[in-house]
Amino acid sequence: MKGEHVLCARCFDSLPRTSWSKDLYSNAMAQHFWRKINIEAAFAFVHHKGHSHASDLIYQLKYCHNEGVGLWMGRMIGRELKDTELAENADIIIPVPLAKKRVRQRGYNQSDLIAEGLAQTIGLPMRTDIIMRTSFKRSQTAMTTEQRELNVKDAFVLLKPEDIKGKHIILVDDVVTTGATVCSIGKELEKAGDVKISIVSWGAAFGTF
């Protein structure tokens, strides 16, 4: 299967794994979003830090056209979450959308691939037609928290609110840094009404290392 063999066993064991699947509701990632957005649960597979196998995988996915890495990431996340309450109670998986310009440049949306691997593993539908990114100003890599929030303000639009009303959504990103992007998307998704949102990512750039 594409992306099945990405890391050797030793490298995989060296990944800075979180233990957040044991507490999906009040771990460091969940707490990061308290008072910012109403969320049900939160999970990241690894702590994201530079010059590590975890960050190298993100680099391969985003800049080396290695699509298989994204599918593998999603499957690893899915194996971790498969028997949890989150996987049992969620209804739909939605990846963080990229602007069309970025998709053309990269050839794909890396969050789509992670979400696809997750969907395959836990048996939930994935939708990429619910929310759209309408603007892309510039890369957020070197931005402060305030700059990131301004960069994604009003950058997303909800397309099919009737399809998610009353649903529990797993919103999937590659790496959550400040959370500005997922907060902006979450607020847009909430316009559908009676929506529950959980956030899942490969990496999180905060928490205990």
Side-chain angles (χ1 to χ4, degrees):
M1 189 177 292
K2 189 174 183 180
E4 190 66 28
H5 302 290
V6 172
L7 286 180
C8 68
R10 179 178 296 179
C11 293
F12 183 81
D13 289 341
S14 73
L15 290 174
R17 298 272 297 276
T18 73
S19 58
W20 295 344
S21 61
K22 299 175 183 177
D23 178 12
L24 293 167
Y25 304 100
S26 59
N27 60 54
M29 186 167 173
Q31 291 182 39
H32 182 79
F33 289 102
W34 291 353
R35 302 188 188 90
K36 295 182 179 180
I37 186 175
N38 292 323
I39 65 165
E40 293 294 309
F43 174 78
F45 192 78
V46 297
H47 297 286
H48 182 78
K49 54 183 177 180
H51 309 294
S52 67
H53 289 305
S55 61
D56 181 58
L57 288 169
I58 288 292
Y59 186 87
Q60 289 182 43
L61 174 60
K62 293 178 72 172
Y63 305 110
C64 299
H65 306 288
N66 196 338
E67 298 177 50
V69 169
L71 293 169
W72 176 86
M73 288 175 173
R75 293 182 191 123
M76 294 304 102
I77 294 169
R79 290 177 187 176
E80 188 83 2
L81 296 179
K82 191 170 185 178
D83 296 321
T84 65
E85 188 177 2
L86 172 58
E88 292 174 1
N89 293 339
D91 299 298
I92 187 172
I93 295 172
I94 296 178
V96 168
L98 274 185
K100 291 181 180 179
K101 176 183 177 182
R102 297 291 279 179
V103 173
R104 286 195 299 270
Q105 291 172 342
R106 190 164 294 157
Y108 53 84
N109 175 3
Q110 70 275 4
S111 294
D112 283 1
L113 296 170
I114 298 172
E116 182 180 345
L118 174 60
Q120 291 171 355
T121 308
I122 65 175
L124 289 177
M126 182 186 86
R127 294 283 297 272
T128 59
D129 60 340
I130 300 296
I131 193 161
M132 179 177 70
R133 183 156 190 164
T134 57
S135 67
F136 176 77
K137 299 173 184 176
R138 59 192 177 100
S139 172
Q140 298 189 150
T141 303
M143 290 185 182
T144 65
T145 299
E146 292 76 14
Q147 288 171 332
R148 285 171 181 261
E149 289 174 353
L150 287 173
N151 196 52
V152 294
K153 189 178 188 310
D154 302 320
F156 302 94
V157 61
L158 181 60
L159 300 177
K160 298 182 178 180
E162 67 280 2
D163 286 6
I164 61 169
K165 185 175 182 180
K167 303 292 186 182
H168 183 170
I169 297 163
I170 297 179
L171 182 61
V172 175
D173 203 358
D174 54 356
V175 177
V176 174
T177 306
T178 65
T181 298
V182 291
C183 281
S184 181
I185 294 170
K187 290 173 183 176
E188 188 67 18
L189 292 172
E190 286 177 342
K191 294 178 180 179
D194 191 25
V195 170
K196 295 179 180 179
I197 299 170
S198 291
I199 299 167
V200 168
S201 67
W202 167 254
F206 48 80
T208 302
F209 288 75

